[in-house]
Amino acid sequence: MDTELRQTLHRRGLRMTPQRQLVLDAVAELGHATPEEICTKVQEIAPAVNITTIYRTLDLLEQLGIVRHTHLGHGAPTYATGEHEHVHLVCHRCGTVGEVDADLLDGLAGVLAAEAGFTLDPTHVALSGLCSRCETSDSEVDA
Amino acid sequence: MDTELRQTLHRRGLRMTPQRQLVLDAVAELGHATPEEICTKVQEIAPAVNITTIYRTLDLLEQLGIVRHTHLGHGAPTYATGEHEHVHLVCHRCGTVGEVDADLLDGLAGVLAAEAGFTLDPTHVALSGLCSRCETSDSEVDA
DNA sequence: ATCGATGCAAAGTTTTTGCAATGCT
DNA sequence: AGCATTGCAAAAACTTTGCATCGAT
């Protein structure tokens, strides 16, 4: 199960360690989580693992293309495994993070390529706006 | 010219100060800039202004709806005036920030509203991907 | 004269770096 | 055994807070 990671590391002369497996497992399980959250999760199993190692491992896994990070708004970035092929919808009122299929951005991707020569990475995007709940309560407040 | 800000402040029992005018001017002129950059700009004119005041003033101007901040990627957020009606295109290879017209997201906004009940705020969005330059050099590297 | 705004210094967060000890291969 | 990896501690980067002073109204 950890063979894939092990081999990816091997190919670059890097080593497989329990920490790296734990971090990857935590990222995969948590979905999109901050370094802090990932650290907490990892420490449930291996309390001695240092937050420094979390940061270093996340950087590494990202370089290897195994995880990606997204800035969903405020402070900390969130990390998720590459299989997470969706777009994040962040409500800037309540902070809720929703998700929709990345396919919805196909049209936009074409336009951006044509207009700006920009190659959109749909899975790394966080769109900002209001979720349905806040949109509703918002109109009441604004009135 | 500063009358609008002055009155907005007045309405809430707040005061007009040179610092507040300078911060607003700097934000408007710089486009999208970090607190640090804004501070540097302000200090060109008024060297005594403290970074603390920059932070406090940006928070205030944001509450008043005069500026908005966006997280374009790494560390510091960037601030811009509300008139900045464009979408940011952040290259996650070289960090360059491009801009396109917010109208390009109109189609997507409709889809998201229908699919997810999500009200997209096009001006607060940062899209991630590769700029044309990095896209080119990328194919070479990957090969 | 009042009370909000500012500057300074200090503390709080989040992330990075240096280095000796550890442990994977 | 060799060298990448880790943990710890310290530093760096970014932001917030407390408080006395200043200044807009």
Side-chain angles (χ1 to χ4, degrees):
Chain A
M1 201 218 241
D2 56 4
T3 317
E4 194 182 326
L5 174 55
R6 166 168 253 119
Q7 300 198 339
T8 306
L9 290 167
H10 239 216
R11 233 170 280 135
R12 312 214 183 188
L14 303 174
R15 293 171 185 171
M16 183 57 176
T17 65
Q19 288 91 336
R20 286 175 177 169
Q21 185 63 50
L22 287 168
V23 169
L24 178 53
D25 289 348
V27 172
E29 187 174 338
L30 292 172
H32 43 79
T34 63
E36 201 71 45
E37 291 164 344
I38 293 164
C39 188
T40 301
K41 186 78 185 173
V42 167
Q43 290 180 341
E44 286 176 12
I45 297 169
V49 175
N50 196 279
I51 181 85
T52 303
T53 299
I54 305 292
Y55 279 108
R56 286 194 281 225
T57 304
L58 287 173
D59 284 351
L60 175 66
L61 292 177
E62 187 153 41
Q63 279 176 39
L64 298 177
I66 297 171
V67 306
R68 349 199 50 177
H69 79 272
T70 308
H71 296 272
L72 294 183
H74 335 72
T78 61
Y79 288 78
T81 52
E83 301 124 40
H84 254 225
E85 290 290 316
H86 56 237
V87 177
H88 297 107
L89 304 177
V90 183
C91 177
H92 59 230
R93 175 73 107 222
C94 67
T96 307
V97 179
E99 299 174 359
V100 293
D101 201 287
D103 297 351
L104 293 184
L105 293 190
D106 284 351
L108 178 62
V111 174
L112 291 178
E115 295 275 324
F118 188 82
T119 308
L120 182 65
D121 175 2
T123 69
H124 193 223
V125 169
L127 297 173
S128 194
L130 290 176
C131 68
S132 46
R133 191 177 322 175
C134 288
E135 169 67 12
T136 312
S137 58
D138 211 31
S139 15
E140 296 164 8
V141 172
D142 285 358
Chain B
M1 201 222 238
D2 57 2
T3 318
E4 194 182 325
L5 174 55
R6 164 167 254 120
Q7 299 197 341
T8 305
L9 290 167
H10 239 215
R11 233 170 280 134
R12 312 213 182 186
L14 303 173
R15 292 169 187 174
M16 182 57 176
T17 65
Q19 288 90 336
R20 286 173 177 171
Q21 185 63 50
L22 287 168
V23 169
L24 179 53
D25 289 348
V27 172
E29 188 174 337
L30 293 173
H32 43 79
T34 62
E36 201 71 43
E37 290 165 345
I38 293 164
C39 188
T40 301
K41 186 79 184 173
V42 167
Q43 289 180 338
E44 287 176 12
I45 297 169
V49 174
N50 196 278
I51 182 84
T52 303
T53 301
I54 306 292
Y55 279 108
R56 285 193 280 226
T57 304
L58 288 172
D59 284 352
L60 175 65
L61 293 177
E62 187 154 39
Q63 279 176 39
L64 298 176
I66 297 172
V67 305
R68 352 196 49 177
H69 79 271
T70 309
H71 296 271
L72 295 183
H74 333 72
T78 61
Y79 288 79
T81 53
E83 302 124 39
H84 254 226
E85 290 291 315
H86 56 237
V87 178
H88 298 108
L89 304 177
V90 184
C91 176
H92 59 232
R93 174 72 110 222
C94 68
T96 308
V97 179
E99 299 175 358
V100 293
D101 202 287
D103 296 352
L104 293 183
L105 293 190
D106 284 352
L108 178 62
V111 174
L112 291 178
E115 294 277 323
F118 188 81
T119 307
L120 182 65
D121 175 2
T123 69
H124 195 226
V125 169
L127 297 174
S128 195
L130 290 176
C131 68
S132 47
R133 191 175 325 175
C134 289
E135 169 66 12
T136 312
S137 58
D138 211 30
S139 10
E140 295 163 11
V141 173
D142 283 0

